[in-house]
């Protein structure tokens, strides 16, 4: 397995510039740094029909969201509720703005991007609570924004993939609105970090072990939270009765083994999961679409899977 040349270029440029890793900064500094860095290599100049920022009610206070209408939208469309990545500490609707625009246009879908609360100011399970509230709000209100209420899916990258999986588990257990589909992009599913891929790719490929420890230390309140299935959905007692999923992984990503294990358990326990692997890619490549071509392939694959799910 060889590292993709474009992914290698990203790693090389980061090293040449001498940028400090986010874990070498304070949480506030890391948030600001990621806001700036995420915009440099993402998809560029993506038009959108309309986007609107609103605050919706949540259990801990108002939750900022951004609703996207694709270019040329003339009638109500299926909906994707999107949870951004960033280790439950960094990231926002702004860092993933171009990506959500692209998804909305490619669908075409209405996309709801959720600015859930993050650590360390709002530790676990605040992000989970906000994510559930955002899905519930979407079910009740998206018709007012030209979305189709009975065609709503969830999706996200990394921490957002984790939240998508957890929201689906909670919806199943609470017998509330069950999303039509889960788009899980290199999701974190187990906080223990003990898999072979965690050992093999712990250094040198952006998502290092110190960075993961930094994220966990500012997201989780204590060690016992690691074993809570709302943080580690792979530890859920059952993965039966869940919405179908597309699970996408990257070849140089420490999270790949736990994501694959999640897909395998879903299939074994009666839910449907398709797993696809981007062999030469690093963690986070989806939001590097300005310089990594495979990011577009990853988006297109997810969009096709969503269309198929919505057509059933």
């Amino acid at each position: 397995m060889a590292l993709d040349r474009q992914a290698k270029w990203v790693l090389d440029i980061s090293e040449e510039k001498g940028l400090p890793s986010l874990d070498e900064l304070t949480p506030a500094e890391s948030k600001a740094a990621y806001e700036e860095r995420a915009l440099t290599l993402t998809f560029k100049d993506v038009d959108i029909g309309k986007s609107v920022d609103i605050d919706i009610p949540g259990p801990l206070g108002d939750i900022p969201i951004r609703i996207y209408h694709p270019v040329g939208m003339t009638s109500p469309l299926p909906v994707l509720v999107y949870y951004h990545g960033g280790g439950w500490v960094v990231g926002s609707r702004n860092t993933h703005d171009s990506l959500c625009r692209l998804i909305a246009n490619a669908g075409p879908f209405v996309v709801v991007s959720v600015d859930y609360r993050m650590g360390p100011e709002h530790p676990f399970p605040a992000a989970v609570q906000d994510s559930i509230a955002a899905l519930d709000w979407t079910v009740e209100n998206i018709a007012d924004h030209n979305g189709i209420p009975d065609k709503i899916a969830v999706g996200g990258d990394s921490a957002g993939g984790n939240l998508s999986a957890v929201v689906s588990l909670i919806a199943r257990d609470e017998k509330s609105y069950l999303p039509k589909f889960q788009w899980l992009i290199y999701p974190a599913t187990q906080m223990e970090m003990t898999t072979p891929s965690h050992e093999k790719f712990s250094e040198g490929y952006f998502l290092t072990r110190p960075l993961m420890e930094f994220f966990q230390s500012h997201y989780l309140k204590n060690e016992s939270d690691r074993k809570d299935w709302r943080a580690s959905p792979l530890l859920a007692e059952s993965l039966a009765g869940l919405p179908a999923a597309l699970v996408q992984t990257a070849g140089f990503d420490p999270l790949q083994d736990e994501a694959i294990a999640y897909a395998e358990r879903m299939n074994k326990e009666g839910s449907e999961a398709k797993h696809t692997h981007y062999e030469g890619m690093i963690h986070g490549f989806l939001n590097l679409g300005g310089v990594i071509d495979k990011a577009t392939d990853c988006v297109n694959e997810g969009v096709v899977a969503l269309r198929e799910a919505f057509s059933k």
Side-chain angles (χ1 to χ4, degrees), residues 158-228:
S158 193
N162 167 282
L163 292 169
S164 299
V166 172
V167 163
S168 297
L169 284 162
I170 291 172
R172 178 202 64 185
D173 292 348
E174 294 185 350
K175 295 180 171 53
S176 56
Y177 181 94
L178 194 64
K180 299 303 181 187
F181 193 75
Q182 306 175 74
W183 183 8
L184 310 182
I185 306 155
Y186 35 78
T189 69
Q190 228 288 21
M191 293 289 186
E192 291 297 335
M193 300 189 294
T194 57
T195 65
S197 63
H198 270 287
E199 297 300 321
K200 187 173 183 180
F201 303 111
S202 63
E203 297 291 340
Y205 302 102
F206 172 63
L207 186 62
T208 64
R209 181 173 291 273
L211 181 54
M212 289 183 283
E213 291 172 346
F214 171 85
F215 286 147
Q216 287 193 17
S217 71
H218 292 300
Y219 176 53
L220 305 177
K221 297 189 296 294
N222 50 57
E223 282 293 312
S224 64
D225 283 345
R226 289 186 173 199
K227 299 185 183 302
D228 190 317

Side-chain angles (χ1 to χ4, degrees), residues 3-14 16 41 291:
L3 183 65
D4 179 270
R5 62 178 180 80
Q6 292 178 325
K8 183 178 186 301
W9 181 87
V10 171
L11 297 174
D12 290 345
I13 286 294
S14 179
E16 287 175 15
L41 299 179
V291 292

Side-chain angles (χ1 to χ4, degrees), residues 2-309:
L3 183 65
D4 179 270
R5 62 178 180 80
Q6 292 178 325
K8 183 178 186 301
W9 181 87
V10 171
L11 297 174
D12 290 345
I13 286 294
S14 179
E15 185 174 351
E16 287 175 15
K17 288 189 174 182
L19 298 174
S21 177
L22 297 180
D23 57 278
E24 297 171 352
L25 306 173
T26 67
E29 290 170 341
S30 71
K31 292 176 191 290
Y34 185 73
E35 289 292 316
E36 180 180 348
R37 295 178 192 180
L39 301 181
T40 60
L41 299 179
T42 190
F43 298 98
K44 294 294 189 293
D45 302 321
V46 184
D47 198 8
I48 193 68
K50 181 177 75 171
S51 67
V52 57
D53 292 353
I54 62 175
D55 293 336
I56 63 173
L60 304 172
D62 286 349
I63 305 165
I65 66 169
R66 180 171 295 159
I67 303 174
Y68 298 86
H69 288 171
V71 173
M73 179 175 176
T74 57
S75 60
L77 292 172
V79 182
L80 173 66
V81 178
Y82 195 87
Y83 305 106
H84 67 79
W88 311 274
V89 175
V90 303
S92 68
R93 59 187 175 183
N94 292 328
T95 61
H96 288 61
D97 180 71
S98 291
L99 174 62
C100 288
R101 288 170 174 242
L102 186 65
I103 294 169
N105 289 336
F109 310 127
V110 172
V111 175
V112 178
S113 181
V114 183
D115 243 344
Y116 54 87
R117 283 170 178 77
M118 300 185 294
E121 298 85 357
H122 304 281
F124 173 82
V128 174
Q129 294 170 316
D130 277 3
S131 297
I132 297 165
L135 175 61
D136 291 343
W137 180 91
T138 300
V139 172
E140 295 297 324
N141 296 278
I142 202 61
D144 297 333
H145 298 270
N146 283 329
I148 302 175
D150 62 351
K151 291 187 176 182
I152 300 173
V154 294
D157 57 301
S158 193
N162 167 282
L163 292 169
S164 299
V166 172
V167 163
S168 297
L169 284 162
I170 291 172
R172 178 202 64 185
D173 292 348
E174 294 185 350
K175 295 180 171 53
S176 56
Y177 181 94
L178 194 64
K180 299 303 181 187
F181 193 75
Q182 306 175 74
W183 183 8
L184 310 182
I185 306 155
Y186 35 78
T189 69
Q190 228 288 21
M191 293 289 186
E192 291 297 335
M193 300 189 294
T194 57
T195 65
S197 63
H198 270 287
E199 297 300 321
K200 187 173 183 180
F201 303 111
S202 63
E203 297 291 340
Y205 302 102
F206 172 63
L207 186 62
T208 64
R209 181 173 291 273
L211 181 54
M212 289 183 283
E213 291 172 346
F214 171 85
F215 286 147
Q216 287 193 17
S217 71
H218 292 300
Y219 176 53
L220 305 177
K221 297 189 296 294
N222 50 57
E223 282 293 312
S224 64
D225 283 345
R226 289 186 173 199
K227 299 185 183 302
D228 190 317
W229 63 265
R230 296 173 300 167
S232 298
L234 188 59
L235 300 182
E237 183 176 343
S238 169
L239 299 187
L242 291 172
L246 170 65
V247 181
Q248 296 167 311
T249 55
F252 289 79
D253 183 357
L255 301 187
Q256 64 181 284
D257 286 350
E258 64 195 66
I260 293 169
Y262 197 81
E264 290 176 344
R265 264 198 67 192
M266 280 187 64
N267 285 318
K268 183 178 180 180
E269 297 175 26
S271 300
E272 178 186 346
K274 177 184 178 182
H275 167 240
T276 60
H277 190 60
Y278 290 78
E279 191 172 84
M281 288 294 110
I282 57 174
H283 188 85
F285 78 93
L286 181 70
N287 215 25
L288 299 171
V291 292
I292 294 183
D293 295 338
K294 285 292 183 183
T296 300
D297 295 341
C298 183
V299 170
N300 289 339
E301 182 181 47
V303 165
V304 168
L306 285 167
R307 286 182 193 150
E308 292 176 353

